[in-house]
Amino acid sequence: MRALLFMAICLIVAGCGKPPAAKAPPRDEDPAVAAALAQPLMTDPEMAAAADGEAAPVLGHAIPAGATAPVREGSPTLGQVAAAAVGTSRFAGCDPRIAYSAQWMNRVAPSLALPNAARLSEAAGSDTPACALRVVRYAIAATPAQSLDHYAALARRGGFAATRTTNRIEAAKDGEAFVATVASVQGGASVDLVSRRNDPR
């Protein structure tokens, strides 16, 4: 009897001295969650395009800092470009009497913001209660065809009805329109972008 009691006491003491079981290490982070958290915020228009399911092609590469944007010989003034656009039904109600300032580039609709690699040549615009008109000319180290591909992708993603020729894309939907005209220049393309929307801001 004493022997059995002694054995029971030993077992109890041994159990009390046993260290607590180690906690299971946390599971590895879900790779999909980690990848999602590592993604940059979708603020750049080209990145936003990818979020919408169809990425607009990344257009061109940057013209070296300090380099002068190539000039398209014989090109019309932005005033002439604006007047030609306002003469069409897509730009009815817009004021062709534009004011010149590089700041107009920042007032283009976000969905049509210039590609990161663009080098601004000049910008202009006008606002009326019915129309926010923006006219921008820029150069980019890309071919004219690549530039048209870029705007064709923007038109499809934005739900615009668009037509394309060898050097131009014209696109429109309710209250919005844009025309991108391209020409070859040394080192790339020159692009004239005319756009309008009905809510100046």
Side-chain angles (χ1 to χ4, degrees):
M1 182 67 179
R2 289 180 178 179
L4 291 175
L5 181 60
F6 178 78
M7 290 178 64
I9 293 172
C10 288
L11 290 173
I12 292 172
V13 170
C16 291
K18 185 177 180 182
K23 292 182 179 180
R27 290 185 301 172
D28 290 338
E29 188 177 23
D30 187 330
V33 173
L37 292 174
Q39 290 295 319
L41 294 175
M42 292 289 183
T43 54
D44 184 277
E46 290 166 353
M47 294 165 60
D52 286 341
E54 180 190 351
V58 176
L59 187 59
H61 58 270
I63 295 172
T68 302
V71 176
R72 190 171 75 204
E73 295 296 333
S75 58
T77 67
L78 293 192
Q80 292 170 327
V81 172
V86 173
T88 67
S89 59
R90 290 183 176 91
F91 291 85
C94 295
D95 186 351
R97 297 170 296 179
I98 54 176
Y100 283 74
S101 169
Q103 292 302 315
W104 289 104
M105 175 189 71
N106 299 321
R107 298 175 66 185
V108 172
S111 60
L112 293 175
L114 271 59
N116 289 336
R119 172 62 61 85
L120 179 69
S121 299
E122 52 185 342
S126 67
D127 284 335
T128 70
C131 172
L133 179 66
R134 309 289 181 257
V135 191
V136 177
R137 176 172 292 156
Y138 67 88
I140 193 162
T143 67
Q146 288 170 333
S147 298
L148 290 179
D149 288 344
H150 174 77
Y151 285 104
L154 293 182
R156 286 193 298 272
R157 193 180 69 252
F160 289 84
T163 58
R164 176 173 178 168
T165 63
T166 56
N167 71 332
R168 173 181 296 209
I169 283 184
E170 299 183 9
K173 66 178 182 179
D174 278 347
E176 296 181 59
F178 73 85
V179 177
T181 305
V182 302
S184 180
V185 294
Q186 183 178 3
S190 175
V191 181
D192 285 353
L193 175 65
V194 188
S195 64
R196 69 86 48 89
R197 52 183 174 174
N198 286 351
D199 52 339
R201 61 180 181 269

